[in-house]
Amino acid sequence: MSEIVTADQHVFIDLPEQLEADLIDLLLPPWELDGSFLAQSTMERYRTELTATPLFRETAATLRHALTEEGGGYAVLRLGILAKALGADDGRFLRLATAFAAEVAVPFSPFPRWPLWKDIGVKVDKDPGKSSGIGYNAFHMDLVNGTRPPDYTTLLCVRPDPLGGGRSILSDAHAAVARLSEDSRALLAESAYSYGTFFDLFDVGEEYKPFPILDDSNPSEEFVRFTAKMLERSELGQAHAEAARELAEELVRGQVSFILQPGDYLIVNQRRFLHGREALHSRQETVPVSDRRLLLQLFLRARADDGSAA
């Protein structure tokens, strides 16, 4: 495991005190869905309500800039004061988080069996490498085997690991690729990779199998279709496996990490960054289920006119 490198402070976006006070008093209506997407009428209502609040426009612009500027690709919106005042899993707080997400792209759920926000708790008997497991969750992009993966994946922290583990890790996928040899990049651009199952999903395209890790049609803006789990759970030839392993090592070498605090809202541009999680602290079985780490996940689809839609 690499040395811990903390993220640059500019990716952590604090809300101005006056905006926090105004949002605590704001009553947004419950959202409506249009299929698996947040309804346009809900997004328009939320924007109307929020843009009438002083300093909201500037904060939303800062968030979008952090996610799309050159060298950027993720941000943590600090909503802890709102979470404490309203309750991190309260409907009013979730509507505010959803409204911020809608300023970035269109919220949606690719899982028909889940609501808009999906719980990611801790299960001690789960595969340790899974999102709800207790072990190291290696670098990956979500829904890697769909032809149209979510453009953004987001994680809202309700509770961190009370024992102090579970640091979030992120790495610039394109920077990692740039450090590889030409031969390795050529192998990664071949349709030789596969991972996972594909069923009961909405609005992520068709199953992509096999797929290239690199799409050379527009390398700087395309997904780096990678999950380190393919190294153990896919049948790969030696050369393709070695190239993917080299990429995994570069991702770790370039990673940053931090612990999400209650109310922290991590938004990741999947066209630029891959994410994962360090192992939770040992002895999770001693922590009551109601006190264990809990995140809420929401996916976003870029609007067709913003230049990053698939």
Side-chain angles (χ1 to χ4, degrees), residues 162-178:
L163 300 179
R167 296 178 71 90
S168 296
I169 55 175
L170 292 111
S171 193
D172 184 330
H174 293 286
V177 168

Side-chain angles (χ1 to χ4, degrees), residues 108-285:
F108 80 107
S109 172
F111 308 111
R113 62 189 180 278
W114 289 95
L116 189 63
W117 290 87
K118 175 187 175 185
D119 288 6
I120 300 179
V122 174
K123 299 177 181 178
V124 296
D125 56 350
K126 188 90 170 180
D127 178 344
K130 295 287 189 180
S131 59
S132 58
I134 62 175
Y136 176 66
N137 188 8
F139 279 112
H140 63 281
M141 66 170 287
D142 289 327
L143 296 162
V144 65
N145 58 338
T147 54
R148 298 187 69 238
D151 296 292
Y152 297 86
T153 185
T154 82
L155 294 167
L156 178 63
C157 181
V158 177
R159 290 188 301 273
D161 177 5
L163 300 179
R167 296 178 71 90
S168 296
I169 55 175
L170 292 111
S171 193
D172 184 330
H174 293 286
V177 168
R179 294 192 293 269
L180 300 176
S181 68
E182 284 190 27
D183 288 344
S184 292
R185 290 198 296 269
L187 287 164
L188 295 176
E190 295 179 2
S191 296
Y193 299 89
S194 61
Y195 175 76
T197 57
F198 191 91
F199 64 94
D200 203 18
L201 296 170
F202 285 168
D203 296 300
V204 291
E206 306 297 327
E207 182 174 16
Y208 201 0
K209 181 180 179 180
F211 54 80
I213 291 177
L214 303 182
D215 183 339
D216 60 4
S217 62
N218 186 5
S220 65
E221 290 298 328
E222 290 302 323
F223 296 109
V224 175
R225 289 181 178 273
F226 181 78
T227 172
K229 294 168 188 167
M230 69 174 64
L231 293 169
E232 298 177 356
R233 303 179 188 181
S234 300
E235 295 183 2
L236 291 171
Q238 181 176 351
H240 290 99
E242 186 59 35
R245 193 169 292 109
E246 289 178 21
L247 175 55
E249 292 171 355
E250 289 299 333
L251 289 166
V252 172
R253 185 171 298 143
Q255 79 176 34
V256 296
S257 69
F258 45 84
I259 292 182
L260 294 173
Q261 302 298 330
D264 280 354
Y265 188 23
L266 169 63
I267 303 178
V268 183
N269 183 340
Q270 291 214 117
R271 293 181 180 272
R272 299 190 177 189
F273 273 74
L274 300 177
H275 69 285
R277 183 205 65 226
E278 298 284 3
L280 302 182
H281 198 282
S282 60
R283 299 183 292 108
Q284 289 295 314
E285 68 279 359

